[in-house]
Amino acid sequence: DTILSLINQTRKPHEIIIVDDCSSDRSFEILSKIVTDSNHLDSNLKLIRNETNKGSSFTRNTGLEVISGDYFSFLDGDDQYSTDYIETVNDIYEKHRFQMLFVQVISKNKKTVRPNIIRFQKHLKPIGDTLYSIPDPVKVLSHESLFAGGGNVIIAKECLKNIRFDENSKVFEDWDFYFRILKSSLEEKYSLFLFQKQVLEFYTDDVVNSLSKIKAKNYKEFQTPKLVSDLKNSIDRSEISYRER
């Protein structure tokens, strides 16, 4: 369903990079057939397989190394895009030339919406009915995270620089990654927007037997990324004091 939600887009993606984290089911076999049969598609499909299970950070970094487009986004195996997602995002880009775009997501049971815009709406600048610019992401983050999963963030490749996922972290590695990009955005004065349209992406149930969901026998085995710890321990969390990594 995840791959089909990309293939069936009203505007086809420039490329689809699939990184299989040494899955133990028939996922790779099915994906290989999709790639083989993809000649009729307008998108370039790339399939990569980790030799052993490496976890989500290594797997995402693998994908980042081979992207050829100007913008990228992640879509986990338990998420889906609505069919007009890429077309809508492209329309916003053509009008506003953003460097980062955050999109609201809604759960499959339609009970959870993230991020909750009500909590930080006073820090947004409205542009039409469903689009907002984010003049100061620090103030927004003091109320709630903008990150609701990899698929809800579209990022210009120019923002990436040498930033990668921390492969030594087992929790909050996605927050750590996006926080570091946001930190860079403050320095570079990137253009950030939030799009409020809940049907653009929705979560399905967690993938059973997902090897990227690394488990530990003891909670003490998990190491919180340094930047997330810095945010938690900063003296004035209302301003979110970024410390040097």
Side-chain angles (χ1 to χ4, degrees), residues 101-105 113-126 130-148 152-153 175 179 182 192-198 237-238 240:
L101 176 68
F102 301 91
V103 180
Q104 272 194 328
V105 299
V113 175
R114 295 184 297 172
N116 186 351
I117 193 173
I118 296 176
R119 296 179 179 176
F120 52 81
Q121 192 164 5
K122 65 180 180 180
H123 298 303
L124 302 176
K125 181 180 178 181
T130 57
L131 185 66
Y132 302 83
S133 66
I134 308 175
D136 191 342
V138 171
K139 290 182 179 179
V140 171
L141 290 171
S142 69
H143 295 276
E144 181 172 343
S145 173
L146 289 165
F147 317 120
N152 95 302
V153 190
W175 282 28
F179 273 136
L182 270 182
L192 281 64
F193 289 84
L194 171 66
F195 185 54
Q196 184 186 21
K197 188 179 179 184
Q198 301 164 4
R237 295 200 323 186
S238 66
I240 304 189

Side-chain angles (χ1 to χ4, degrees), residues 37 52 55 60 74 87 102 107 118 145 161-162 188 194 196 202 208 215 219 222 231 236 241:
D37 297 341
T52 59
R60 290 179 175 180
F74 297 99
E87 182 178 4
F102 301 91
S107 61
I118 296 176
S145 173
K161 299 181 180 178
N162 294 320
E188 302 291 341
L194 171 66
Q196 184 186 21
F202 59 91
V208 178
K215 297 178 176 61
Y219 77 93
F222 290 112
L231 292 172
D236 186 354
S241 175

Side-chain angles (χ1 to χ4, degrees), residues 94-116:
E94 292 294 337
K95 294 177 182 177
H96 302 286
R97 301 291 172 173
F98 59 81
Q99 271 80 42
M100 294 183 71
L101 176 68
F102 301 91
V103 180
Q104 272 194 328
V105 299
I106 187 168
S107 61
K108 186 177 182 180
N109 59 19
K110 297 184 174 17
K111 292 182 179 179
T112 305
V113 175
R114 295 184 297 172
N116 186 351

